[in-house]
Amino acid sequence: MTAFKKLSLSFQFIVLLIGLACIAAVASYLVGSSVYVSETRNQARTVADMVDNFGQWASRYRGIWVKDDPRDPKLEVGSFLERELSTAQGANDSTTAPNAAAFHRKNPALVQRELSDITIASPAKAKFRMTSDRYMNPNNAPSEFDKVAMNAIRESGASEYSEVRGGQLLYARRLVADKGCMRCHGSPAAAPAAVTALYPGPQGYGYEEGKLAGVISVAIPLEFSLADFVQRFDSQVWLALAAMGLGVAGLLVFIRQQVIVPVRRVREFALAAANAEPGAQVEKVDFIEGEHVSRNEIHELNTAVKAMHTSIDYLYRRLNKR
């Protein structure tokens, strides 16, 4: 620190400005990172809203019926709860049972799960899944984050929970068991035969209406970097940075002209007075008229130095007269 104090004021000030600029850059990056995480969390909320609204739409019709017509190209129906055959009869023909179209009912939860499977297999960055600590399908088992989220939501009564983990924004939205959920998840005895045939229990049952049933779990990768941060700068940001740069440059000019140059002139006068022969005339420094009443610290210093020189010169002259 002593060595630093011995450096010129110009150099010290430049080092200070560089340090402040670095601190401001780091702070800006941290703020930008926080804003980015906040924006990503809002994206996760939007995904959860979409899933929730899609489930409500499917619940309005008590599920979705998928038609598998033998006359159409082969259709992979996937999982379903009920299956019904349809026969269509006209005036001159009738469709026999072996060629009848089959309708398969998928309940809202199953529809949402299949939407999740499609999303996970897609190139979309945002992925979601429906999970519960009382899951039926082992593929829907909760992750470590999902368990933490469900416990936190139960304890706090909050509707959501999120955290940054493993380079991802992990978000969970609570799912509350309603009457539609109780039909399959209340008890094995009350569940449809198609459900108990696949999942005899006890896992996946025991839901309580109005209480937490599970969560919509959303994962979005966080790809924030310095390059991404800079790429987000628009013309207004660059103009603001340019204005700040001009302000710093103006401040440097001001410090040099109003502090450093005057101090150097006072120093040169003091050295000249110290090195001059006793009684010799030394050109004094005058910054402004009426300097002795100025409140500028540089002017006050210059006045004091000149007064000291005058006093020493006066003392020398009186000693010579004796």
Side-chain angles (χ1 to χ4, degrees), residues 74 90 188:
K74 180 64 177 177

Side-chain angles (χ1 to χ4, degrees), residues 37-187:
V37 171
S38 179
E39 289 179 352
T40 304
R41 186 179 294 109
N42 287 333
Q43 292 178 24
R45 290 189 178 111
T46 301
V47 172
D49 288 339
M50 177 200 69
V51 176
D52 204 11
N53 292 336
F54 185 68
Q56 292 182 26
W57 173 79
S59 297
R60 179 182 300 176
Y61 304 104
R62 300 174 185 173
I64 304 299
W65 287 91
V66 179
K67 179 182 179 182
D68 183 16
D69 195 325
R71 295 168 295 184
D72 295 332
K74 180 64 177 177
L75 177 66
E76 294 293 337
V77 176
S79 301
F80 57 90
L81 294 183
E82 299 176 33
R83 182 174 183 272
E84 293 185 4
L85 292 177
S86 173
T87 58
Q89 295 185 0
N92 300 319
D93 60 59
S94 63
T95 304
T96 59
N99 296 323
F103 290 85
H104 307 79
R105 191 175 76 86
K106 298 174 181 285
N107 68 339
L110 186 55
V111 172
Q112 288 174 306
R113 194 194 77 192
E114 292 190 359
L115 177 62
S116 170
D117 293 340
I118 293 174
T119 304
I120 291 174
S122 74
K125 293 183 179 181
K127 311 292 184 182
F128 81 90
R129 58 198 297 269
M130 313 281 287
T131 185
S132 170
D133 46 10
R134 296 177 180 177
Y135 60 90
M136 285 184 171
N137 190 331
N139 293 331
N140 298 332
S143 65
E144 186 61 31
F145 163 76
D146 298 329
K147 295 176 183 177
V148 171
M150 283 185 280
N151 289 333
I153 290 174
R154 282 195 179 97
E155 292 175 1
S156 66
S159 61
E160 62 181 13
Y161 176 85
S162 66
E163 64 179 58
V164 175
R165 181 186 296 192
Q168 292 183 309
L169 185 285
L170 303 179
Y171 173 87
R173 166 81 61 80
R174 72 177 179 184
L175 290 172
V176 177
D178 56 19
K179 291 183 179 180
C181 300
M182 301 305 295
R183 183 168 181 265
C184 294
H185 294 277
S187 66

Side-chain angles (χ1 to χ4, degrees), residues 230-245:
V230 174
Q231 286 178 358
R232 290 170 177 262
F233 289 1
D234 56 17
S235 58
Q236 292 183 340
V237 174
W238 287 115
L239 286 174
L241 291 175
M244 291 174 61

